[in-house]
Amino acid sequence: MSSVFGKLFTLSSWGESHGKAIGAVVDGCPAGLEISEEYIQQFLDRRKPGQSAITTQRKESDLVKILSGVFEGKTTGTPISMIVENADQHSADYEQIKDWWRPGHADEAYDSKYGFRDYRGGGRSSARETIARVAGGSIARKFLKEKCGTEFTATINIDNNSIENAKKNGDSIGGIVSLTIKNPPKNLGEPVFDRTEALLAMAMLSIPATRGFEIGKGFEAANMLGSEHNKFADGTYGGITSGEDILCRIAFKPTPSISKTQMAKNKNGAFGEISIKGRHDPCVAVRAPVIVESMAALVLMDLWLQL
Ligand SMILES: Cc1cc2nc3c(=O)[nH]c(=O)nc-3n(C[C@H](O)[C@H](O)[C@H](O)COP(=O)(O)O)c2cc1C
């Protein structure tokens, strides 16, 4: 399996949720960009758990260390390696589901494909992996902001009461994240397979628990007249960015791990009732905006280097 994203600006993501650490290696970043641990940290802090009642109570400080590629506060053009140590694992929570496949999660698919997996915290299927994306994306967005004035802003519009209610009932809910890319560089992307929108879709749908992607008017475009739609600034034409702002929407499914009792299958093919313990996000979309921004920055940075 590959854990590398991008062609020229590449992100390698490594580490398991309950292993020693999670990390990223960014290759292809031009020399001379000012980067510090404090700068990267502000984005990781937006992603980290335990910040409110409506996210998982797992408390990780998620402190990043830069191991290479930065000298006297600036990138040297060599691989930038970053590490975040895992601190607050409760691996025992996962003993009870070691042999059980959580409905809606990756457990059964991983066993079917690989025959062996780190079940603690979901291993590689855990969204702790997205630390690597946020760390790498923070470098990409800084470069694009300084060079082109590009800004990435994602928000979630969800009512906290619905999340609290789902949580109270041992359940979870989904949500939609809206992304605005302001001042994207012009002429990014290619006309056939490497269309900007295709690469953004791939990047967004590579985030765990995503189930939908829209760009511009998205699905609504199907119900519009040409005369109406042509007035709308779409941001990409023929796969190539026009320099106009780009709007995307990403749908997240409800968190699969819920404490509400449900039917599940185990490794021996038996069925039984399970109630999943441990600390889980009642709505994964709440922590997703910074991950969405980071993936968009990685895509645009990689395309910018290909200009
Ligand atoms: C920010 C974020 C946090 C998540 N937190 C949890 C969680 O606490 N519990 C859980 O079961 N799944 C969580 N997920 C979702 C799983 O990672 C995801 O459902 C799983 O990897 C299977 O992938 P799929 O849903 O895309 O098929 C989270 C996803 C994201 C993006």
Side-chain angles (χ1 to χ4, degrees):
M1 62 181 104
S2 167
S3 297
V4 183
F5 183 82
K7 274 188 186 166
L8 297 181
F9 188 95
T10 61
L11 171 78
S12 303
S13 152
W14 60 264
E16 286 78 26
S17 170
H18 288 218
K20 286 194 175 154
I22 295 267
V25 179
V26 164
D27 214 345
C29 182
L33 180 70
E34 257 178 53
I35 288 290
S36 65
E37 288 169 351
E38 298 71 50
Y39 165 77
I40 300 169
Q41 195 61 49
Q42 57 178 308
F43 298 101
L44 292 176
D45 286 349
R46 281 177 60 203
R47 197 218 70 94
K48 80 178 178 193
Q51 300 188 92
S52 76
I54 56 165
T55 61
T56 171
Q57 292 309 294
R58 180 170 166 158
K59 288 201 172 45
E60 297 271 13
S61 50
D62 287 355
L63 290 178
V64 70
K65 280 188 219 143
I66 300 175
L67 303 180
S68 68
V70 178
F71 178 64
E72 294 182 342
K74 288 186 182 166
T75 56
T76 54
T78 57
I80 305 167
S81 185
M82 293 164 284
I83 184 170
V84 169
E85 282 174 23
N86 292 326
D88 188 32
Q89 305 103 308
H90 282 198
S91 300
D93 286 345
Y94 289 86
E95 278 296 320
Q96 50 128 196
I97 51 153
K98 189 168 140 216
D99 298 322
W100 287 89
W101 291 325
R102 288 170 295 172
H105 215 292
D107 309 339
E108 183 176 2
Y110 275 27
D111 272 345
S112 160
K113 188 172 170 85
Y114 303 110
F116 183 68
R117 70 188 159 94
D118 181 351
Y119 59 83
R120 305 161 309 159
R124 278 302 272 172
S125 70
S126 163
R128 263 190 89 61
E129 180 279 323
T130 60
I131 284 177
R133 301 162 186 247
V134 173
S138 74
I139 298 174
R141 68 196 291 167
K142 187 156 201 287
F143 183 90
L144 289 171
K145 184 165 183 191
E146 289 179 9
K147 201 89 188 164
C148 317
T150 310
E151 290 193 62
F152 301 84
T153 315
T155 53
I156 172 165
N157 193 358
I158 199 161
D159 149 38
N160 283 3
N161 285 338
S162 316
I163 303 179
E164 298 276 8
N165 271 341
K167 193 179 165 188
K168 233 181 276 157
N169 297 327
D171 220 323
S172 60
I173 57 169
I176 294 178
V177 171
S178 303
L179 166 73
T180 304
I181 309 175
K182 236 179 149 20
N183 294 324
K186 204 176 162 165
N187 295 336
L188 300 183
E190 294 185 2
V192 184
F193 298 117
D194 283 355
R195 285 171 164 256
T196 305
E197 62 268 41
L199 296 171
L200 282 171
M202 188 278 178
M204 296 309 158
L205 295 178
S206 79
I207 302 172
T210 47
R211 283 299 178 269
F213 173 79
E214 289 188 333
I215 184 158
K217 290 283 177 201
F219 279 78
E220 201 190 320
N223 297 319
M224 292 173 78
L225 292 170
S227 53
E228 288 175 274
H229 195 267
N230 288 347
K231 289 184 200 144
F232 176 70
D234 237 354
T236 69
Y237 302 90
I240 298 166
T241 57
S242 61
E244 296 156 342
D245 294 354
I246 299 172
L247 307 177
C248 306
R249 279 165 31 107
I250 300 97
F252 286 81
K253 73 182 198 183
T255 319
S257 301
I258 51 174
S259 61
K260 194 175 201 149
T261 305
Q262 52 183 334
M263 285 303 284
K265 229 186 334 174
N266 71 15
K267 282 186 172 173
N268 307 317
F271 287 87
E273 284 190 336
I274 62 163
S275 160
I276 299 166
K277 306 268 182 314
R279 299 153 298 169
H280 296 280
D281 288 283
C283 174
V284 305
V286 172
R287 288 167 53 214
V290 70
I291 307 169
V292 163
E293 294 168 7
S294 304
M295 290 310 296
L298 289 171
V299 169
L300 265 54
M301 178 73 205
D302 197 31
L303 288 176
W304 189 87
L305 288 176
Q306 292 170 50
L307 275 179

PDB file of all heavy atoms in Angstrom, residues 1-5 10-15 25 124 129 132:
ATOM      1  N   MET A   1       0.856  -1.204   0.000  1.00  0.00           N
ATOM      2  CA  MET A   1       0.000   0.000   0.000  1.00  0.00           C
ATOM      3  C   MET A   1       0.881   1.239   0.000  1.00  0.00           C
ATOM      4  O   MET A   1       1.952   1.244   0.602  1.00  0.00           O
ATOM      5  CB  MET A   1      -0.911  -0.018   1.233  1.00  0.00           C
ATOM      6  CG  MET A   1      -0.214   0.020   2.572  1.00  0.00           C
ATOM      7  SD  MET A   1      -1.361  -0.036   3.966  1.00  0.00           S
ATOM      8  CE  MET A   1      -1.174  -1.733   4.508  1.00  0.00           C
ATOM      9  N   SER A   2       0.448   2.268  -0.700  1.00  0.00           N
ATOM     10  CA  SER A   2       1.253   3.480  -0.775  1.00  0.00           C
ATOM     11  C   SER A   2       0.704   4.526   0.193  1.00  0.00           C
ATOM     12  O   SER A   2      -0.503   4.636   0.384  1.00  0.00           O
ATOM     13  CB  SER A   2       1.222   4.030  -2.191  1.00  0.00           C
ATOM     14  OG  SER A   2       1.744   5.345  -2.188  1.00  0.00           O
ATOM     15  N   SER A   3       1.597   5.268   0.804  1.00  0.00           N
ATOM     16  CA  SER A   3       1.168   6.330   1.714  1.00  0.00           C
ATOM     17  C   SER A   3       1.784   7.657   1.290  1.00  0.00           C
ATOM     18  O   SER A   3       2.096   8.507   2.119  1.00  0.00           O
ATOM     19  CB  SER A   3       1.577   5.993   3.143  1.00  0.00           C
ATOM     20  OG  SER A   3       0.929   4.816   3.553  1.00  0.00           O
ATOM     21  N   VAL A   4       1.995   7.793  -0.026  1.00  0.00           N
ATOM     22  CA  VAL A   4       2.627   9.005  -0.554  1.00  0.00           C
ATOM     23  C   VAL A   4       1.626   9.753  -1.424  1.00  0.00           C
ATOM     24  O   VAL A   4       0.935   9.147  -2.247  1.00  0.00           O
ATOM     25  CB  VAL A   4       3.884   8.653  -1.380  1.00  0.00           C
ATOM     26  CG1 VAL A   4       4.586   9.922  -1.856  1.00  0.00           C
ATOM     27  CG2 VAL A   4       4.845   7.800  -0.569  1.00  0.00           C
ATOM     28  N   PHE A   5       1.537  11.064  -1.237  1.00  0.00           N
ATOM     29  CA  PHE A   5       0.591  11.893  -1.990  1.00  0.00           C
ATOM     30  C   PHE A   5       1.354  12.959  -2.767  1.00  0.00           C
ATOM     31  O   PHE A   5       2.249  13.601  -2.218  1.00  0.00           O
ATOM     32  CB  PHE A   5      -0.381  12.553  -0.997  1.00  0.00           C
ATOM     33  CG  PHE A   5      -1.449  13.373  -1.664  1.00  0.00           C
ATOM     34  CD1 PHE A   5      -2.587  12.774  -2.168  1.00  0.00           C
ATOM     35  CD2 PHE A   5      -1.301  14.755  -1.789  1.00  0.00           C
ATOM     36  CE1 PHE A   5      -3.573  13.524  -2.791  1.00  0.00           C
ATOM     37  CE2 PHE A   5      -2.286  15.512  -2.411  1.00  0.00           C
ATOM     38  CZ  PHE A   5      -3.416  14.893  -2.922  1.00  0.00           C
ATOM     39  N   THR A  10       5.653  16.187  -2.505  1.00  0.00           N
ATOM     40  CA  THR A  10       5.081  14.931  -2.012  1.00  0.00           C
ATOM     41  C   THR A  10       4.990  14.904  -0.489  1.00  0.00           C
ATOM     42  O   THR A  10       5.842  15.450   0.215  1.00  0.00           O
ATOM     43  CB  THR A  10       5.902  13.703  -2.466  1.00  0.00           C
ATOM     44  OG1 THR A  10       7.222  13.822  -1.940  1.00  0.00           O
ATOM     45  CG2 THR A  10       5.948  13.570  -3.958  1.00  0.00           C
ATOM     46  N   LEU A  11       3.930  14.272  -0.026  1.00  0.00           N
ATOM     47  CA  LEU A  11       3.741  14.063   1.408  1.00  0.00           C
ATOM     48  C   LEU A  11       3.746  12.562   1.665  1.00  0.00           C
ATOM     49  O   LEU A  11       2.948  11.838   1.073  1.00  0.00           O
ATOM     50  CB  LEU A  11       2.383  14.639   1.845  1.00  0.00           C
ATOM     51  CG  LEU A  11       1.977  14.288   3.276  1.00  0.00           C
ATOM     52  CD1 LEU A  11       2.727  15.158   4.276  1.00  0.00           C
ATOM     53  CD2 LEU A  11       0.474  14.449   3.483  1.00  0.00           C
ATOM     54  N   SER A  12       4.659  12.097   2.510  1.00  0.00           N
ATOM     55  CA  SER A  12       4.616  10.698   2.961  1.00  0.00           C
ATOM     56  C   SER A  12       4.074  10.715   4.366  1.00  0.00           C
ATOM     57  O   SER A  12       4.576  11.435   5.226  1.00  0.00           O
ATOM     58  CB  SER A  12       6.015  10.070   2.990  1.00  0.00           C
ATOM     59  OG  SER A  12       6.595  10.151   1.727  1.00  0.00           O
ATOM     60  N   SER A  13       3.046   9.923   4.582  1.00  0.00           N
ATOM     61  CA  SER A  13       2.380   9.888   5.887  1.00  0.00           C
ATOM     62  C   SER A  13       2.711   8.565   6.558  1.00  0.00           C
ATOM     63  O   SER A  13       2.609   7.515   5.921  1.00  0.00           O
ATOM     64  CB  SER A  13       0.875  10.021   5.638  1.00  0.00           C
ATOM     65  OG  SER A  13       0.142   9.394   6.647  1.00  0.00           O
ATOM     66  N   TRP A  14       3.127   8.605   7.830  1.00  0.00           N
ATOM     67  CA  TRP A  14       3.458   7.334   8.508  1.00  0.00           C
ATOM     68  C   TRP A  14       2.957   7.324   9.959  1.00  0.00           C
ATOM     69  O   TRP A  14       2.723   8.388  10.533  1.00  0.00           O
ATOM     70  CB  TRP A  14       4.973   7.070   8.462  1.00  0.00           C
ATOM     71  CG  TRP A  14       5.831   8.119   9.133  1.00  0.00           C
ATOM     72  CD1 TRP A  14       6.450   9.175   8.518  1.00  0.00           C
ATOM     73  CD2 TRP A  14       6.157   8.224  10.525  1.00  0.00           C
ATOM     74  NE1 TRP A  14       7.138   9.915   9.450  1.00  0.00           N
ATOM     75  CE2 TRP A  14       6.977   9.358  10.685  1.00  0.00           C
ATOM     76  CE3 TRP A  14       5.845   7.464  11.657  1.00  0.00           C
ATOM     77  CZ2 TRP A  14       7.476   9.769  11.933  1.00  0.00           C
ATOM     78  CZ3 TRP A  14       6.344   7.866  12.891  1.00  0.00           C
ATOM     79  CH2 TRP A  14       7.150   8.998  13.024  1.00  0.00           C
ATOM     80  N   GLY A  15       2.833   6.136  10.513  1.00  0.00           N
ATOM     81  CA  GLY A  15       2.490   6.001  11.933  1.00  0.00           C
ATOM     82  C   GLY A  15       1.101   5.450  12.188  1.00  0.00           C
ATOM     83  O   GLY A  15       0.203   5.579  11.361  1.00  0.00           O
ATOM     84  N   VAL A  25       6.729  13.217   6.004  1.00  0.00           N
ATOM     85  CA  VAL A  25       7.924  13.720   5.328  1.00  0.00           C
ATOM     86  C   VAL A  25       7.444  14.461   4.085  1.00  0.00           C
ATOM     87  O   VAL A  25       6.701  13.899   3.274  1.00  0.00           O
ATOM     88  CB  VAL A  25       8.879  12.572   4.913  1.00  0.00           C
ATOM     89  CG1 VAL A  25      10.097  13.138   4.195  1.00  0.00           C
ATOM     90  CG2 VAL A  25       9.298  11.743   6.125  1.00  0.00           C
ATOM     91  N   ARG A 124      -3.901   2.250  11.028  1.00  0.00           N
ATOM     92  CA  ARG A 124      -3.777   3.223   9.932  1.00  0.00           C
ATOM     93  C   ARG A 124      -5.114   3.826   9.520  1.00  0.00           C
ATOM     94  O   ARG A 124      -5.142   4.845   8.845  1.00  0.00           O
ATOM     95  CB  ARG A 124      -3.147   2.548   8.707  1.00  0.00           C
ATOM     96  CG  ARG A 124      -1.657   2.436   8.741  1.00  0.00           C
ATOM     97  CD  ARG A 124      -0.951   3.759   8.878  1.00  0.00           C
ATOM     98  NE  ARG A 124      -0.670   4.424   7.611  1.00  0.00           N
ATOM     99  CZ  ARG A 124      -0.191   5.676   7.529  1.00  0.00           C
ATOM    100  NH1 ARG A 124       0.023   6.389   8.609  1.00  0.00           N
ATOM    101  NH2 ARG A 124       0.040   6.203   6.363  1.00  0.00           N
ATOM    102  N   GLU A 129      -4.051   9.675  11.586  1.00  0.00           N
ATOM    103  CA  GLU A 129      -3.177   9.753  10.396  1.00  0.00           C
ATOM    104  C   GLU A 129      -3.242  11.146   9.777  1.00  0.00           C
ATOM    105  O   GLU A 129      -2.263  11.609   9.164  1.00  0.00           O
ATOM    106  CB  GLU A 129      -3.604   8.665   9.392  1.00  0.00           C
ATOM    107  CG  GLU A 129      -2.801   8.611   8.102  1.00  0.00           C
ATOM    108  CD  GLU A 129      -3.249   9.643   7.065  1.00  0.00           C
ATOM    109  OE1 GLU A 129      -4.457   9.899   6.949  1.00  0.00           O
ATOM    110  OE2 GLU A 129      -2.374  10.207   6.391  1.00  0.00           O
ATOM    111  N   ALA A 132      -0.529  13.982   9.743  1.00  0.00           N
ATOM    112  CA  ALA A 132       0.496  14.096   8.698  1.00  0.00           C
ATOM    113  C   ALA A 132       0.042  15.059   7.599  1.00  0.00           C
ATOM    114  O   ALA A 132       0.819  15.884   7.107  1.00  0.00           O
ATOM    115  CB  ALA A 132       0.777  12.715   8.097  1.00  0.00           C
TER     116      ALA A 132
END
